[in-house]
Amino acid sequence: MNDPVEPAELREGNPGAEGGAAALPADADARKALMALRNEVAKAVVGQDAVVTGLVIALLCRGHVLLEGVPGTAKTLLVRALARTLDLEFKRVQFTPDLMPGDVTGSLVYDNRTAEFEFREGPVFTNLLLADEINRTPPKTQASLLEAMEERQVSVEGVPRPLPDPFVVCATQNPIEYEGTYPLPEAQLDRFLLKLTVPVPSREEEIAVLQRHAEGFDPRDLSQVRAVAGAAELAAGQRAVRAVHVDPKVTGYVVDLCRATRQSPSLQLGVSPRGATALLATARAWAWLSGRDYVTPDDAKALARPTLRHRVQLRPEAELEGATADGVLEGILNTVPVPR
């Protein structure tokens, strides 16, 4: 966990792009609104700009996010503040060993008045779902999210029920406590577009946190956070991201990065083709947020670790030697030739 968390570009906001073709006004307005999210979230959460940017990228790609960090790093507060800035419906589920699949997806309930069964929606029917400590619930309940995450629908008694749009799952897990937990299976890890590590704040940031609390800040009251974007801006951004141009050389570079993970002696499981498409999608979103209508190899490099770190598995001998997924990916990024 001591490896670099995210590249500096994601923390700074703009990777120093040269600027591409002029964007349509609607696209420019949507970009401005989505980039303003960080300033609003900062009213509630100090630092964590890289994590906020990653969440925005996931929303643009209609993907899901796994947040990993020690307790007390404002993961829940971060997602709540983001939902408020986007004026989206937010629900939270605390995953526990006794949580049942129906507690997440919903179930049929008998109505005495009508003598019929009616479907009662579970918390998954929302825009932004926080699955808190997802690795504390058994695999059966974890699997209840699989269809919702992939198909964006819930099937109960054979009847499919579509979920709201947008729908994003933000799941959290504790990286230092494994007793009484159920590690997520590879099939479900691969459903997450990004795995973002939430770091402990720096000394200056921690001082700022304490100063806010000394001045009366209440993390349960987010009235000071205002909505700066909505479903319309998000939809405009998603359309613009799909129109971002990808040169064949960049596509080849993304494939080469992913193939290199399959040949690495430190890894027993490399990135699948689904992971390659995920990296291309996140690179396009980052390029658009940076004000360009084309993808560069640097975009792929900037998003490689958060997009791929949960899609690889270290060999046991590599773990014993102290290797980490981020460290192996960093070595691959340094060795795979970059197209010019």
Side-chain angles (χ1 to χ4, degrees):
M1 295 303 300
N2 293 326
D3 290 302
V5 177
E6 307 294 351
E9 292 87 345
L10 289 185
R11 295 193 298 271
E12 303 293 335
N14 192 307
E18 298 86 354
L24 295 174
D27 295 347
D29 291 343
R31 183 188 299 111
K32 183 178 179 181
L34 291 173
M35 291 303 290
L37 290 177
R38 291 198 303 191
N39 293 332
E40 285 301 309
V41 172
K43 294 179 180 178
V45 181
V46 176
Q48 311 297 8
D49 281 351
V51 181
V52 176
T53 302
L55 289 170
V56 172
I57 288 173
L59 285 164
L60 288 170
C61 298
R62 303 179 79 241
H64 310 287
V65 179
L66 181 62
L67 298 173
E68 186 174 84
V70 297
T73 49
K75 298 185 291 294
T76 300
L77 179 61
L78 183 66
V79 178
R80 284 178 52 223
L82 180 68
R84 189 171 179 88
T85 61
L86 284 168
D87 197 21
L88 297 177
E89 185 182 4
F90 166 81
K91 291 181 182 177
R92 174 180 178 270
V93 179
Q94 182 66 47
F95 279 72
T96 57
D98 59 349
L99 193 72
M100 299 297 291
D103 297 331
V104 178
T105 59
S107 56
L108 292 176
V109 178
Y110 184 75
D111 190 339
N112 288 319
R113 292 173 299 177
T114 62
E116 294 180 349
F117 284 93
E118 64 176 23
F119 179 69
R120 185 168 296 173
E121 295 182 349
V124 75
F125 285 85
T126 188
N127 297 124
L128 204 53
L129 176 68
L130 177 62
D132 221 349
E133 295 188 292
I134 191 174
N135 58 336
R136 288 202 176 277
T137 200
K140 183 178 181 180
T141 305
Q142 292 174 356
S144 66
L145 278 178
L146 279 177
E147 182 188 15
M149 293 170 64
E150 187 66 17
E151 306 296 335
R152 300 181 184 277
Q153 67 177 21
V154 167
S155 294
V156 177
E157 297 295 327
V159 179
R161 292 174 170 85
L163 296 173
D165 187 29
F167 170 70
V168 174
V169 173
C170 295
T172 71
Q173 65 178 14
N174 184 342
I176 62 171
E177 195 173 19
Y178 295 102
E179 187 175 351
T181 63
Y182 304 84
L184 290 171
E186 296 304 319
Q188 190 160 353
L189 277 175
D190 209 32
R191 295 292 195 276
F192 288 98
L193 180 73
L194 297 170
K195 180 182 178 183
L196 303 174
T197 54
V198 184
V200 174
S202 65
R203 183 177 184 274
E204 292 74 18
E205 291 170 343
E206 198 162 356
I207 289 174
V209 170
L210 267 62
Q211 186 63 40
R212 288 189 181 188
H213 281 266
E215 294 171 356
F217 172 72
D218 184 358
R220 292 174 291 274
D221 180 15
L222 296 181
S223 57
Q224 76 277 22
V225 179
R226 62 186 180 89
V228 294
E233 287 81 6
L234 195 55
Q238 290 169 348
R239 286 194 300 270
V241 166
R242 290 194 293 269
V244 171
H245 174 70
V246 183
D247 188 271
K249 291 183 179 179
V250 177
T251 306
Y253 178 62
V254 170
V255 170
D256 290 343
L257 287 176
C258 295
R259 291 182 67 87
T261 65
R262 302 168 202 160
Q263 300 162 2
S264 171
S266 299
L267 300 176
Q268 64 181 1
L269 176 67
V271 177
S272 68
R274 178 189 288 168
T277 60
L279 179 54
L280 185 62
T282 56
R284 294 174 85 179
W286 178 233
W288 180 77
L289 283 174
S290 303
R292 285 178 282 108
D293 60 358
Y294 60 90
V295 180
T296 69
D298 285 342
D299 297 323
K301 293 180 73 171
L303 273 298
R305 281 180 294 171
T307 308
L308 305 180
R309 59 165 62 111
H310 56 298
R311 304 174 193 270
V312 299
Q313 265 190 359
L314 291 168
R315 293 187 183 277
E317 54 270 28
E319 286 191 87
L320 289 174
E321 294 171 359
T324 63
D326 278 9
V328 173
L329 290 172
E330 188 67 27
I332 290 173
L333 289 171
N334 291 334
T335 55
V336 173
V338 180
R340 301 296 179 188

